[in-house]
Amino acid sequence: MNAMAMLWASILLGGIAQILLKRGVTAAQAESGNKPERWWLGLLTSGWIWSWAAAFTAATGLWLLAVSQLSISYAFPLLSAGYVLVAILSRIFLGEKVSWKRWAAIAMICAGVILISRQ
Amino acid sequence: MSEARAVMLASLSGKKASMHKNRVAEAAVLGSVLFAAAGHLLIKSGLNTLTTASAHAGLAPRLLGYMLHPAVISGLAIYAIGTAMWVFAVSRRDISYLVPFSALNYVVVALGGVWLFRERIPSTRWLGILVVFAGVWLMQRWGSEESR
């Protein structure tokens, strides 16, 4: 796998990981029954959460492999594509309402990240 | 009349409670960003001292050496606390609202570079830091309406 493919795979997996985490947390809260304050115990046995951990670990590994071959100032601003990806995925898979105000904030944050990485 | 007042009071206290809830989630996000950055710096400082020492060892002993280094262990522990704070925030707010806050990580790393290594920040980078802050502020101020 070349470095660019690993970088995009890392961004994609990182975004998917956040969706899995939110799913797992929501499911654990819903299933906590008569002990709602102990909802987090459900995380330990949740398939969503273990998938999140696996996706997160794989994304981190791919990122490290990618930046060992690419310049960090090139790879770094591309990470902000993850915010856009999470917004889209959260809408499709979690039914979150991503308002234009949220999109405006995401666009501004992406612009800031790009400026930070400029040499 | 007293009924109306009770309803008003209830709605007021409800609003207060939800505002409090918001701030707790946002404080947890800020904490998770700071802990993650501190964890990364500690892990990196530990790895820096080890890579020169064990460059010729095999992969498994090298990994074991990394994992047993005190700076790496404490870095991982701090990173784990940051992750727990992130999970807590995720339990309270939309993921599309929270994830862009993680851009503050770059701000912390950039500012940490100035503080720890006396790096000079070029003016475009300062501008970027300001724009990220403005974006996060915008998100917090206007994008915080929950889907549920």
Side-chain angles (χ1 to χ4, degrees), chain A residues 47-58:
Chain A
W48 295 111
I49 295 301
W50 286 101
S51 312
W52 162 65
F56 181 77
T57 308

Side-chain angles (χ1 to χ4, degrees), chain A residues 27-45:
Chain A
Q29 283 174 319
E31 286 157 17
S32 58
N34 57 352
K35 283 187 175 164
E37 73 285 355
R38 293 206 165 188
W39 65 270
W40 52 273
L41 281 172
L43 296 180
L44 304 174
T45 52

Side-chain angles (χ1 to χ4, degrees), chain A residues 63-86:
Chain A
W63 166 255
L64 291 174
L65 287 172
V67 292
S68 68
Q69 294 171 52
L70 296 167
S71 90
I72 190 95
S73 62
Y74 176 74
F76 179 78
L78 292 179
L79 278 182
S80 61
Y83 310 146
V84 177
L85 179 70
V86 167

Side-chain angles (χ1 to χ4, degrees), chain A residues 84-116:
Chain A
V84 177
L85 179 70
V86 167
I88 294 169
L89 292 179
S90 77
R91 206 188 145 135
I92 298 171
F93 293 105
L94 303 170
E96 289 191 5
K97 297 187 190 91
V98 186
S99 62
W100 68 267
K101 289 167 180 171
R102 256 182 212 179
W103 279 118
I106 290 169
M108 188 172 260
I109 291 167
C110 289
V113 172
I114 290 165
L115 281 172
I116 288 177

Side-chain angles (χ1 to χ4, degrees), chain B residues 100-118:
Chain B
F101 279 75
S102 58
L104 289 173
N105 203 350
Y106 310 138
V107 173
V108 173
V109 169
L111 295 177
V114 176
W115 179 56
L116 290 173
F117 310 116
R118 310 243 160 238

